[in-house]
Amino acid sequence: MKLHITCAFFVILISCKTDGSKKAEIAEAGETVRKLPPKEAVTDGDLEIDVYDFAGFEQFLHRQDGKTYVVNFWATWCKPCVAELPYFERLGREYADKGVEVVLVSLDLHGTFEKKLLPFVREKKLESQVIVLDDPKQNDWIPQVNEAWSGAIPATLMYNKTNRMFYESSLTYEDLENNLKALIDTK
Amino acid sequence: MKTIRIFLLLTVVLAMSSFSVDIPADDEGYRIGDLAEDFNLKNVDGKMVSLADYKDARGYLVIFTCNTCPYAQAYEDRIIALDKKYKKKGVPVIAINPNSPEKSPKDSFEDMQVRATEKGFSFPYLLDEGQEIYPKYGATRTPHVFLLEKKDKGNEVRYIGAIDDNYQDETSVETRYVEDAVDAMLGGEEIRITTTKAIGCSIK
């Protein structure tokens, strides 16, 4: 009986793992994501932020260069998102030498980039890469980021070659660090 | 003993891995075909509102929305238009603000009253006081629409999701999810798209 349960756990365990890394395997199997250029860039002096539609943005979800990517979906109008930005900044700094890169994906509304986003990024002195995802066909692309995502932000995707995790919730620095460690360690 | 140890180890690993793989974030709340619970919430005019008050309704557009979210604001006029179009057909809009005024001060009852007057809301705008209703429905963001059909057995959930497919620009909308769903429901036809996703402000 115990053996049966153990086996059952093994099966579940394996199926979980397979699920988690399915996309990575697909990408390795030859399906390459085309690197499309941003559709525009918004600038304020030396500050420049690229704006992508989903087709252009997709490359940021499937990079296969051995690094671990922490992709945070946020917006200046989203209070809980703004509250957790310092944690992402700190994570990016503290794990930079471990091959971790943070990408802050702004979902600010079209027409507010110059007035809201650029001043915000400048004022907060954000060090992580900031890009804008501006594509109104949300029902098409939200499930492509993650099937379980309802579309609420903040939301965070972490991935490397072998693992993917997705969180539709606010995260503390401790959550972030623990999740990142779990992702890096389970190779 | 050894088996137990392996078992325990596996349990731990499994527990960890089940956190590390994708967790369905929307596993709570209603699904299409479920019966939605009625509520009794305070409207901006001070009166209590329940679905059961609408004796002649054929259904309801229960929309979780708020004062503060830019997406909710972008859809306010379209929500008013939905109420105008469908109230007379027996499917009124019932708007509910699910945010806690403590966490989001500008979503207080008084601010709701101001917003409703400014925009001329033609529908009730209720405060989910104590935040008990939105988790039952499974609303995760604003705006989040639940189309209910009034049947003998209760109020059946027929559509969950966004109003249409372009928050930015109403003139560029290609699919009006809610209108298509209500029209199909009223016409006794199959609803083609029953759930949609959209970016929205998480409920605070």
Side-chain angles (χ1 to χ4, degrees):
Chain A
M1 184 59 199
K2 272 175 193 157
L3 189 67
H4 276 293
I5 296 170
T6 317
C7 287
F9 268 105
F10 259 121
V11 172
I12 295 166
L13 189 64
I14 290 162
S15 65
C16 283
K17 285 265 186 190
T18 316
D19 263 358
S21 58
K22 201 158 66 188
K23 281 214 168 140
E25 279 170 12
I26 291 166
E28 273 169 353
E31 185 201 298
T32 49
V33 176
R34 284 180 303 156
K35 271 198 178 179
L36 298 171
K39 59 175 185 174
E40 60 174 312
V42 285
T43 52
D44 173 24
D46 56 348
L47 182 63
E48 183 175 317
I49 295 178
D50 288 335
V51 181
Y52 292 89
D53 54 18
F54 186 74
F57 169 72
E58 229 182 336
Q59 59 185 296
F60 293 94
L61 300 176
H62 303 286
R63 289 197 272 190
Q64 296 287 315
D65 53 10
K67 279 191 170 185
T68 297
Y69 289 94
V70 178
V71 184
N72 172 244
F73 295 88
W74 70 289
T76 58
W77 47 259
C78 163
K79 272 191 193 166
C81 305
V82 170
E84 67 179 19
L85 282 182
Y87 310 141
F88 286 92
E89 289 280 282
R90 185 175 155 198
L91 194 79
R93 279 195 303 273
E94 295 194 2
Y95 284 83
D97 58 353
K98 293 181 181 70
V100 175
E101 203 176 307
V102 172
V103 183
L104 302 176
V105 182
S106 156
L107 292 166
D108 275 87
L109 275 66
H110 193 89
T112 66
F113 305 147
E114 282 88 354
K115 269 190 206 155
K116 294 257 175 79
L117 181 63
L118 287 168
F120 181 91
V121 171
R122 187 176 284 283
E123 189 200 314
K124 301 278 177 187
K125 298 186 175 70
L126 296 181
E127 293 165 16
S128 311
Q129 183 183 13
V130 177
I131 56 174
V132 174
L133 171 55
D134 176 36
D135 192 328
K137 298 291 170 202
Q138 297 170 342
N139 188 50
D140 298 333
W141 63 255
I142 288 171
Q144 293 186 56
V145 175
N146 185 281
E147 270 299 327
W149 188 16
S150 79
I153 56 173
T156 301
L157 171 77
M158 292 186 182
Y159 74 93
N160 56 22
K161 269 191 170 176
T162 43
N163 284 304
R164 289 181 95 80
M165 302 189 219
F166 185 80
Y167 305 92
E168 181 177 333
S169 61
S170 295
L171 299 167
T172 62
Y173 184 75
E174 203 182 6
D175 294 334
L176 269 177
E177 198 173 28
N178 289 338
N179 297 341
L180 182 67
K181 280 179 180 163
L183 181 112
I184 294 174
D185 292 346
T186 49
K187 282 200 170 160
Chain B
M1 189 60 200
K2 203 175 173 188
T3 322
I4 294 173
R5 228 184 268 164
I6 294 170
F7 177 75
L8 283 174
L9 181 71
L10 276 166
T11 313
V12 172
V13 173
L14 176 71
M16 281 170 68
S17 70
S18 64
F19 282 113
S20 67
V21 295
D22 301 341
I23 302 162
D26 53 357
D27 57 350
E28 283 177 25
Y30 294 140
R31 290 170 190 275
I32 300 301
D34 285 353
L35 294 182
E37 236 179 82
D38 201 348
F39 41 76
N40 189 240
L41 299 173
K42 191 156 85 171
N43 188 14
V44 283
D45 65 4
K47 291 179 186 150
M48 302 302 283
V49 171
S50 295
L51 296 177
D53 299 339
Y54 295 78
K55 305 283 181 224
D56 301 325
R58 296 177 65 186
Y60 310 90
L61 281 168
V62 176
I63 305 181
F64 293 90
T65 185
C66 69
N67 296 340
T68 50
C69 174
Y71 279 99
Q73 289 166 1
Y75 273 111
E76 275 171 337
D77 291 339
R78 280 176 260 186
I79 294 173
I80 295 169
L82 280 174
D83 186 58
K84 200 174 169 192
K85 182 170 179 186
Y86 290 110
K87 185 153 54 185
K88 58 184 182 228
K89 295 184 179 177
V91 188
V93 166
I94 316 284
I96 302 176
N97 167 22
N99 286 342
S100 157
E102 280 157 30
K103 289 183 194 152
S104 180
K106 285 182 183 161
D107 280 315
S108 72
F109 187 70
E110 292 72 26
D111 285 296
M112 285 170 62
Q113 290 176 315
V114 172
R115 193 78 194 171
T117 311
E118 271 175 9
K119 293 298 297 183
F121 284 175
S122 54
F123 44 83
Y125 186 27
L126 316 175
L127 178 63
D128 186 4
E129 207 168 2
Q131 298 189 301
E132 285 178 7
I133 302 304
Y134 91 79
K136 283 184 188 163
Y137 277 69
T140 56
R141 60 180 188 272
T142 54
H144 205 161
V145 181
F146 292 75
L147 170 64
L148 313 180
E149 182 171 18
K150 194 157 136 186
K151 294 188 169 175
D152 291 339
K153 58 183 178 179
N155 295 313
E156 189 182 312
V157 178
R158 300 297 311 273
Y159 170 83
I160 303 173
I163 290 170
D164 57 42
D165 68 354
N166 199 320
Y167 72 88
Q168 274 175 13
D169 178 10
E170 205 184 334
T171 58
S172 301
V173 169
E174 286 173 6
T175 313
R176 297 177 192 279
Y177 303 125
V178 166
E179 290 192 32
D180 290 352
V182 181
D183 289 342
M185 181 184 93
L186 292 175
E189 291 157 24
E190 189 196 344
I191 298 174
R192 210 168 49 85
I193 301 172
T194 54
T195 57
T196 55
K197 295 181 171 193
I199 296 297
C201 308
S202 58
I203 292 169
K204 295 176 263 294

